[in-house]
């Protein structure tokens, strides 16, 4: 079965992680590595390619959004993609200004944009029927828990998880995944969640309040 709605929710989780990271940079926290605008320029390109977000949004609207919510979803889809492009555009402007590391103000601006992107994703996700929202939220939580277990107390590989001397490297991915394609570890993650008894406990996340752009500086 296709899981396009899950991809939308997983990308929202990525946006949440990026926002939290940038909030730490804005506070002046030492992350141990430089945080550059180029990371977010290339990161948005990789996110688009690795998630096939555009294709999954179109498939979700066509196959899963109820007819009475479809017009709303069709209006939200370009807003969502534009919110992602705003991140790469802001990062490019920072780089063009000659700043090789983010200042606290730069980080705050990008964090706000990630917050807005996540909001648009979750509002789009909310056009799905409640049962689909609950199912995908359970899937997403199961994947997060599974990935945390894989990387706990071990040396992580390029794709996450533990490495041993006998591990064979994973073959490189070729192009974007097909729209609706399930994540590689979904079946294992669901099996682990079912064994813990928490597969049905997830609730759909709420979208954060509307983002208000900061006032222009004189």
């Amino acid at each position: 079965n296709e899981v396009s709605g899950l991809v939308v929710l997983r990308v929202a989780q990525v946006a949440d992680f990026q926002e939290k990271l940038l909030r730490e940079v804005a506070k002046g926290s030492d992350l141990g590595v430089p945080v550059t605008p180029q990371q977010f320029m290339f990161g948005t390109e990789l996110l688009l390619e690795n998630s096939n977000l555009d294709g999954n949004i179109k498939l979700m609207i066509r196959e899963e959004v109820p007819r009475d919510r479809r017009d709303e979803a069709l209006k939200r889809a370009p807003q969502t993609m534009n919110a992602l492009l705003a991140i790469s555009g802001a990062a490019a402007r920072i780089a063009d200004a000659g700043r090789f590391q983010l200042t606290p103000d730069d980080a705050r601006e990008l964090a706000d944009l990630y917050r807005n992107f996540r909001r648009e994703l979750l509002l789009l996700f909310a056009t799905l029927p409640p049962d689909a929202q609950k199912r995908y939220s359970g899937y997403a939580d199961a994947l997060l828990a599974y990935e945390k277990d894989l990387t706990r107390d071990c040396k992580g590989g390029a794709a996450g998880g533990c490495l041993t001397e006998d591990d064979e490297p994973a073959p490189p991915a070729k192009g974007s995944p097909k729209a609706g394609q399930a994540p590689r570890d979904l079946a294992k993650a669901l099996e682990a969640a079912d064994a813990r008894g928490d597969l049905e406990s997830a609730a759909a996340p709420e979208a954060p309040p509307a983002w208000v752009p900061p006032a222009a500086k004189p």
Side-chain angles (χ1 to χ4, degrees):
N1 294 335
E2 60 91 2
V3 290
S4 52
L6 173 60
V7 174
V8 172
L9 188 53
R10 290 275 282 173
V11 174
Q13 289 177 334
V14 172
D16 184 49
F17 174 83
Q18 295 287 62
E19 181 193 347
K20 288 175 179 174
L21 181 148
L22 285 159
R23 298 290 180 203
E24 291 300 314
V25 176
K27 290 191 298 186
S29 302
D30 182 8
L31 303 183
V33 292
V35 181
T36 70
Q38 287 80 5
Q39 288 172 300
F40 298 94
M41 292 165 58
F42 299 136
T44 52
E45 292 178 14
L46 285 173
L47 182 63
L48 276 171
E49 181 177 346
N50 292 340
S51 68
N52 190 4
L53 180 60
D54 183 53
N56 275 295
I57 287 175
K58 290 175 180 175
L59 181 62
M60 186 188 86
I61 293 172
R62 186 172 70 245
E63 300 293 336
E64 296 196 85
V65 173
R67 190 176 299 276
D68 61 346
R69 301 293 301 273
R70 202 163 291 167
D71 285 346
E72 177 188 352
L74 287 169
K75 290 177 182 178
R76 292 203 175 280
Q79 293 174 199
T80 302
M81 298 305 296
N82 287 339
L84 176 59
L85 295 176
I87 298 169
S88 57
R93 288 195 301 274
I94 294 168
D96 289 344
R99 296 195 290 279
F100 299 103
Q101 293 192 38
L102 298 182
T103 66
D105 284 344
D106 294 335
R108 197 172 296 110
E109 177 187 2
L110 290 175
D112 287 342
L113 291 174
Y114 269 108
R115 180 175 179 271
N116 187 54
F117 177 44
R118 176 171 170 263
R119 179 176 185 273
E120 294 295 342
L121 286 163
L122 293 180
L123 289 172
L124 181 60
F125 182 77
T127 63
L128 289 170
D131 61 330
Q133 294 182 47
K134 182 177 180 181
R135 182 174 70 254
Y136 287 142
S137 296
Y139 288 1
D141 286 353
L143 280 163
L144 273 179
Y146 182 76
E147 290 161 354
K148 287 180 181 177
D149 285 343
L150 280 181
T151 55
R152 182 178 291 120
D153 299 326
C154 67
K155 182 174 65 173
C162 299
L163 289 180
T164 68
E165 296 301 324
D166 298 327
D167 279 341
E168 290 291 333
K174 296 182 178 179
S176 298
K178 294 180 180 178
Q181 181 176 327
R184 182 185 60 185
D185 291 327
L186 179 59
K188 293 179 181 178
L190 294 178
E191 182 180 348
D194 189 46
R196 293 192 303 269
D198 59 5
L199 186 56
E200 298 299 327
S201 63
E206 295 183 2
W211 173 70
V212 178
K217 295 181 179 180

